[in-house]
Structure formats: C-alpha cells, structure tokens
Amino acid sequence: MHNEDTGEFALPKSRTANERLHSLIPGGAHTYAKGDDQYPEDLAPVISHGSGAHVWDVDGNRYIEYGSGLRSVSLGHAHPRVTEAVRREIDRGSNFVRPSIVEVEAAERFLATVPTAEMVKFAKNGSDATTAAVRLARAATGRPRVALCADHPFFSTDDWFIGTTPMSAGIPTETNELTVSFPYGDLAATEELLTRYQGEVACLILEPATHSEPPPGYLAGLRELADRHGCVLIFDEMITGFRWSEAGAQGLYGVVPDLSTFGKALGNGFAVSALAGRRELMERGGLRHSGDRVFLLSTTHGAETHSLAAAMAVQTVYTEEGVTARLHALGERLAAGVRDAAAGMGVGEHVVVRGRASNLVFATLDENGQPSQEYRTLFLRRLLAGGVLAPSFVVSSALSEADIDHTVDVVAQACAVYRKALDAADPTPWLAGRPVKPVFRRLA
C-alpha cells in the first residue's frame, strides 16, 4: 500500500499481525534476525507465501526477496524438484523407531558432494552441529577452551558462543571464560593465542570466508597451526556451503578441516544441517571404537525423511544445473548495478556493496563514513516502498535478470533520497519512526 507521490507506505494487516506475534511469541519471531526491530517502524511485512524469488505479505504486496530464509532458500521458494522429493517421502512416513534407508542414501549423497569429509551426521539446525563439533573436539583433545573467530557474527545458540555476545544474560561467567577469540586473517595473532593457552585450546572454529576472500595462504596456515598445536580445525560452512561451491569453501580453496558444519542452503528452507569430518574423530560418537563415547547429535527429528530428501534434491539441482555459477552471475549483475546507481546519485561512498557475489551484503554509511542504523532505516524504507525486501543482497537462483534490474532501479530511487539526507546531514525527516536496531544488544 504505497503512495508514490508522498512516499508514504503502510502495512496495516502486517502491523496487526506483528502485534499478535509479539503477544504470543517472545520477540515476535522465532529468529532474532527476523524481528520487526530489524525493519523501519511499522514496515515489517508479515509473509503470506512465497514462490521463486518473490514473497507476498498479508497486505497483498509482492516483493522481490533477498537473503531468503536467512540465506537458506538459495533455489527460490517452493522449488519444484525439492518439493516433489519432499512430497514423495511424506507419503511414506517421516520418522521411525529405526533408521530409514533414506539416511544412508542421504549420507552417501552428501559425502559424494563434499568428498573432503569421511563421515556425516545430520541434524535440524546449525547450532546443534557446531556445538557437536566443539564437544567432539574437546573430547578428542581433552582440552577445555574453544577459540572462535571474533570477526564472524554467529556460531551457535549455545552458551559457549552466546556468552561472548552482548546478549549473555543467563550464561555463567565460568562458561564465558572458556571461550577465547582470534582475528580473521592474522596467523601471528592466532599463534600467539595458542601459545598463551598452550595445551588448553581444543579447537579453532571459523567461517573459512565471509565478505572478503581469505588472504593467500591463510587457511593453509591455520591448518598447519592446528596440527602443530594439537587442536581441531573446524570450518563453519553454514553460509559458504553451496554458495561458494557444492563442496563448500573447503572444496573451493583446497584446505581440509578436521570437522565442518553445513546447513542453510542444504535444505532450501527445510530443516536439515550436517556435521561432517574425519572418520577418526566422527567415530568417537559411534559404536566402533574403544574410547569414551561422545554424545554426538542424538536428535529425534534429525533424520526426518522428507528433510533428507530435500537435501538430496538440493545437491542434485546444484550439480546438474550449475547453481553456484548462476548465483555468482546474478550477484555480479546486482553488485555492478547497485554500485553504478549509488555512484550516479552521488552516494557511491555511502551505500557500499560487499562480499562474494553469491553472498552480498550492503553497508549504509553516514556523512562521516561511519556505519549508520539511521541511514540503513532510510534505505530499507525506500526499498520496501519499491517492492524490494532486502535485509541483505544475498541472491537466490530463482531471481531473473528483470528482477535484478528492477531492484537496481529501486536502489537508484533510494539513493536519491539518501543524497538529500546526506546534504541535510540529518536522515531523521526520512525515517518516519525509530531506527532499526542491531540484533545483538544487551537491552531491548
């Protein structure tokens, strides 16, 4: 519901639905990153349905959607080959008292796609997989400390990670003290950390790549450091898995971790994640070894047949249709268009696109070149008004070139307003309410 002349944009049904959500669900959503505090005031669409690269809100507005399902829906909503595979299994039962044959088929398919791993165990969400990797590393090394990359935003909902964030309420100090951090790309600092805590660090856990490529030799250097200091190297491939290559960043860069975790794109929105790695480590959670047993990912719903069928279908589509290459091509078109539009409106140094083409984010900088939630609010507001739902510019393969071109047109209109706000040195008149807020903060 948008008036092009005044720039006013209202979502009355979504606003009512958000009130209902908040009255029943803490935070009004089941993921903090989906909260209405991440959107301009009263402009957080509540979704009715989606198809391909588009979603519709309960007010009847259609949007081109980016970052679908927090990067999980990389093939587009209701992808026919995925939904067909899911329907086929649902009619055959989804959960039994013993393993389904689908479990071994899914494991064989995954390990053929990610040949750097030797065993795999499936779960429903990424946090379970990363926490299982940490527990396995602690068991294998007999060491208490976890070293995580301080430059990566999220690893798990569990205490070992959340205790390091501003939302650490409810987590004992003793737990927090067992997690230490290292900076991305700095081998010397990481070695200094491992030396300072000599014999105490069970694992190094990081995303192998994010918004910048790994410095030359960095991942191989981490591999060597982990080996020399006797700790486990864990790659969190929740995002890089499939978006970097079908075999993840480890397949692209040729550095093999001891353990790795996959999720998000693996199920195209269906709940499935994976812990994969070296047989010697993974088998500690099994029955064919003589050491202490590790309680490794024992979940009632971890092997629901339809989710594993979704994962197999996703892997098939990626390999047969060259999806990773398409994601990069679409992302390159989008990044070039946004940069040109921003530069054309005189805000090229303020609306900044970053990241690998398949995983683009944008930064909104103020007149001093500093990240600004106020300018982000202004930008998001104008995108929504133009029918673009974009907390990031992470593409799905369902986008068309016409979708990208429309997005760039809307970005250009948003950048024109952005320029006016910069000239006034005050974005407030264009916010129409409070600014959006960071996900991790101590107070609501």
Side-chain angles (χ1 to χ4, degrees):
M1 299 178 64
H2 180 227
N3 185 317
E4 291 289 350
D5 297 326
T6 64
E8 292 177 358
F9 182 59
L11 301 175
K13 291 182 180 178
S14 289
R15 184 176 181 177
T16 300
N18 275 313
E19 287 301 317
R20 291 167 58 200
L21 283 162
H22 276 283
S23 70
L24 301 172
I25 300 164
H30 286 88
T31 317
Y32 284 115
K34 295 184 182 183
D36 59 2
D37 59 338
Q38 303 298 295
Y39 292 84
E41 192 166 1
D42 297 330
L43 289 187
V46 174
I47 304 303
S48 162
H49 63 285
S51 177
H54 300 108
V55 295
W56 286 258
D57 67 21
V58 292
D59 291 282
N61 299 298
R62 186 183 83 154
Y63 303 87
I64 301 169
E65 187 199 38
Y66 293 88
S68 317
L70 303 182
R71 293 181 172 86
S72 67
V73 185
S74 62
L75 300 177
H77 300 292
H79 188 280
R81 293 182 71 174
V82 177
T83 54
E84 179 189 353
V86 168
R87 285 194 190 100
R88 190 165 57 243
E89 289 304 328
I90 283 177
D91 287 342
R92 293 162 52 84
S94 62
N95 209 334
F96 313 108
V97 75
R98 278 280 295 149
S100 161
I101 191 65
V102 175
E103 295 179 43
V104 72
E105 294 168 350
E108 288 170 345
R109 185 61 207 255
F110 180 90
L111 294 170
T113 306
V114 186
T116 40
E118 295 174 322
M119 297 187 85
V120 62
K121 198 156 192 186
F122 296 110
K124 303 309 282 183
N125 64 69
S127 294
D128 286 349
T130 53
T131 292
V134 165
R135 183 185 302 127
L136 196 51
R138 282 172 160 162
T141 61
R143 299 173 178 180
R145 294 189 189 274
V146 177
L148 57 80
C149 183
D151 298 312
H152 298 161
F154 189 80
F155 288 103
S156 176
T157 60
D158 289 289
D159 289 2
W160 63 269
F161 170 71
I162 293 296
T164 70
T165 76
M167 294 177 71
S168 60
I171 299 169
T173 303
E174 295 83 356
T175 298
N176 296 345
E177 290 172 350
L178 292 176
T179 300
V180 295
S181 65
F182 59 93
Y184 188 78
D186 190 336
L187 289 172
T190 307
E191 181 155 30
E192 192 278 327
L193 179 78
L194 291 171
T195 302
R196 188 187 333 152
Y197 296 107
Q198 187 69 44
E200 297 181 34
V201 176
C203 60
L204 300 173
I205 182 169
L206 73 157
E207 295 181 63
T210 52
H211 305 318
S212 58
E213 289 294 292
Y218 173 61
L219 295 177
L222 274 183
R223 175 72 277 174
E224 190 275 328
L225 272 180
D227 289 340
R228 183 148 45 88
H229 287 266
C231 53
V232 176
L233 181 61
I234 304 170
F235 282 176
D236 178 347
E237 298 246 33
M238 292 297 155
I239 293 171
T240 52
F242 298 93
R243 286 193 179 273
W244 264 241
S245 82
E246 290 90 347
Q250 60 194 280
L252 182 66
Y253 300 126
V255 176
V256 182
D258 298 302
L259 299 171
S260 55
T261 58
F262 288 75
K264 292 195 183 290
L266 179 59
N268 201 50
F270 286 93
V272 58
S273 63
L275 169 66
R278 290 196 293 116
R279 179 176 301 276
E280 175 193 355
L281 283 172
M282 294 288 289
E283 191 60 83
R284 287 173 175 264
L287 300 175
R288 296 184 174 183
H289 71 102
S290 57
D292 290 343
R293 295 180 67 197
V294 178
F295 193 87
L296 187 67
L297 285 176
S298 182
T299 56
T300 298
H301 302 291
E304 279 179 322
T305 56
H306 61 271
S307 290
L308 295 183
M312 286 189 281
V314 165
Q315 290 164 92
T316 299
V317 171
Y318 261 81
T319 52
E320 291 185 0
E321 299 184 13
V323 171
T324 303
R326 176 166 173 77
L327 293 175
H328 281 87
L330 289 166
E332 285 165 4
R333 184 185 183 101
L334 177 62
V338 169
R339 286 172 181 141
D340 287 348
M345 292 297 173
V347 297
E349 295 183 358
H350 300 273
V351 175
V352 182
V353 181
R354 297 172 175 159
R356 194 172 182 84
S358 60
N359 190 51
L360 296 171
V361 297
F362 58 83
T364 50
L365 310 181
D366 65 16
E367 51 273 10
N368 299 314
Q370 297 301 307
S372 167
Q373 296 293 94
E374 288 77 15
Y375 279 96
R376 179 176 173 85
T377 307
L378 175 156
F379 191 63
L380 288 174
R381 187 177 183 84
R382 303 307 302 192
L383 293 185
L384 287 163
V388 177
L389 179 57
S392 69
F393 282 146
V394 175
V395 296
S396 77
S397 66
L399 288 159
S400 67
E401 292 187 354
D403 290 328
I404 301 289
D405 294 344
H406 176 75
T407 301
V408 171
D409 289 342
V410 172
V411 166
Q413 297 165 28
C415 287
V417 178
Y418 205 113
R419 183 68 257 174
K420 292 178 184 177
L422 287 170
D423 291 341
D426 180 15
T428 308
W430 289 275
L431 300 190
R434 53 105 184 109
V436 299
K437 299 178 181 180
V439 170
F440 287 111
R441 57 188 193 274
R442 190 170 68 87
L443 300 175

